[in-house]
Amino acid sequence: MLKKMKAIAVAAATLALSAALMTGCSGGTDSSADSGADQPATNDAASSDTTLVVGFDSGYPPYGYVGDDGSYTGFDLDLATAVAEKQGWEVQLEPIDWDAKDALIDSGAIDCIWNGFTMEGREGDYAFSEPYMLNEQVLVVRADSGIETTADLADKIVMTQVDSAALDVLEGDQADLAATFKEVQTIGDYNNAFMQLESGMVDAVACDLSIAAYQMSANPDAYKELDTLSSEHYAVGFAKDNQAQADEVTAALKELDAEGTVAELCEKYADQGISYDNWVLGK
C-alpha cells in the first residue's frame, strides 16, 4: 500500500508542477511555488519497515538508465539497492523528470535523489549523505571536429543538461569561458545531447566526467575530451529535514565499501567509465 501511495504522490506532484509551469513559470523549476515547499513534508528517521523511494534520471548512464532488458539499471541504482538490503528496507526506483526533482522531494513523493547528484552548490537545499564519488565537469567534442582546446570553442554552440552541475559551472566559475561561446543550449537528458553532438547540431557537450567516459567507451572513435571545467563530488540528497536517513545511508555505504561490495560494483561498470579510484567515502 505504501508503494502505491508513493507512486500516486509522484504522479500528483508531477501534475502539480506541470500546472505551475503552464500558468506562467519559465526558465526552470521554482520549488517554492505550487510545489508544497511552503509546507515541507516531515520525514522520520528510517526504520526496518521503510520503503526507500529513489528518484533518478533514467537517461543518465552509467548511474541510472534503462538496460538492454528494459529494466532500470546503473551504478547508483545498484548502490541504492545494496544499501536498502543492508538496512532491511524495501527500495522503489522512481524515474523522474529532472526538472521536477525539487517539487517531488519537497512533497515527499520521493525520499531521495540518487543519480550522480552533485552536492557542491546545493548544500543548503538538501540533507546530504557524505560524498562518495569524485566527479569532474568536462567538455566533449567530436573527434573529427578539429577542436583541440576550449579556446577553439569560441563562437561555437555548447550543450548541457538543464539544471545540471555543468550548467552551474558555465554560469558561475566558467562564465567568462561560456561568454566566448556562440550559445549555451540546454536539453532534458545527456543521451539526446550526444545525439545532437553526433549529428553536428552542436559543437560540444559539457557534462560529468562519468557521462563523458560512458559515451566515449560506447563510441571510442567518435568523441574526445577537452579540459576539465571543475571538480566536485556526488552524494545522496534528501529533504532538508531528513538528515537522519542521509546519515544512515552514509553508514551503510561505508560498510558496503569495507565488505568489498563497492569495488565489485565499480568493476561491474568499469567498461562504462566507473572507477573505484574515484570512490572517496572512507578513504
Side-chain angles (χ1 to χ4, degrees):
M1 179 62 72
L2 181 55
K3 286 187 177 182
K4 184 175 181 180
M5 291 176 66
K6 287 283 190 179
I8 291 171
V10 169
T14 303
L15 286 172
L17 179 69
S18 298
L21 292 173
M22 291 176 67
T23 55
C25 293
S26 62
T29 300
D30 181 356
S31 62
S32 66
D34 298 325
S35 67
D38 54 337
Q39 294 179 333
T42 299
N43 293 290
D44 296 325
S47 61
S48 60
D49 60 352
T50 292
T51 295
L52 182 69
V53 184
V54 176
F56 70 99
D57 178 353
S58 62
Y60 203 76
Y63 286 91
Y65 61 101
V66 180
D68 293 338
D69 62 356
S71 61
Y72 297 122
T73 188
F75 178 75
D76 273 352
L77 302 190
D78 283 2
L79 268 184
T81 300
V83 164
E85 181 177 350
K86 175 168 284 293
Q87 297 297 101
W89 305 337
E90 292 187 52
V91 65
Q92 180 178 326
L93 305 177
E94 196 67 54
I96 62 172
D97 180 342
W98 195 244
D99 243 359
K101 62 185 181 299
D102 291 337
L104 294 171
I105 205 164
D106 286 344
S107 70
I110 60 174
D111 295 312
C112 65
I113 302 166
W114 197 332
N115 194 190
F117 193 43
T118 299
M119 67 179 296
E120 281 86 354
R122 294 176 168 133
E123 293 90 341
D125 300 327
Y126 304 89
F128 277 106
S129 70
E130 291 182 27
Y132 61 89
M133 186 70 81
L134 176 68
N135 184 47
E136 294 177 332
Q137 296 302 321
V138 299
L139 288 159
V140 178
V141 298
R142 294 188 309 279
D144 61 357
S145 66
I147 297 171
E148 301 296 335
T149 69
T150 54
D152 296 331
L153 289 172
D155 298 320
K156 299 291 195 298
I157 299 174
V158 177
M159 177 170 278
T160 190
Q161 188 181 39
V162 64
D163 198 27
S164 64
L167 181 60
D168 289 344
V169 170
L170 291 175
E171 292 178 340
D173 293 344
Q174 294 289 349
D176 288 345
L177 173 64
T180 69
F181 303 158
K182 178 179 180 180
E183 186 180 1
V184 175
Q185 296 182 358
T186 58
I187 197 167
D189 64 83
Y190 277 120
N191 285 335
N192 282 319
F194 274 88
M195 290 175 63
Q196 298 266 22
L197 178 60
E198 184 177 2
S199 71
M201 296 295 291
V202 301
D203 300 293
V205 171
C207 63
D208 293 36
L209 175 64
S210 56
I211 302 301
Y214 174 83
Q215 294 290 344
M216 293 172 69
S217 65
N219 301 282
D221 298 322
Y223 308 117
K224 61 183 177 182
E225 182 185 316
L226 300 183
D227 298 339
T228 298
L229 295 174
S230 69
S231 296
E232 62 203 28
H233 297 88
Y234 287 156
V236 187
F238 289 80
K240 286 190 288 186
D241 62 350
N242 199 10
Q243 187 63 53
Q245 194 168 23
D247 292 343
E248 289 188 73
V249 166
T250 295
L253 285 172
K254 289 180 177 178
E255 291 179 19
L256 289 169
D257 183 31
E259 294 165 2
T261 302
V262 170
E264 291 174 5
L265 289 178
C266 289
E267 180 61 29
K268 176 181 176 180
Y269 291 96
D271 63 344
Q272 299 179 37
I274 299 292
S275 172
Y276 185 66
D277 291 341
N278 291 333
W279 183 266
V280 296
L281 186 60
K283 288 186 177 179

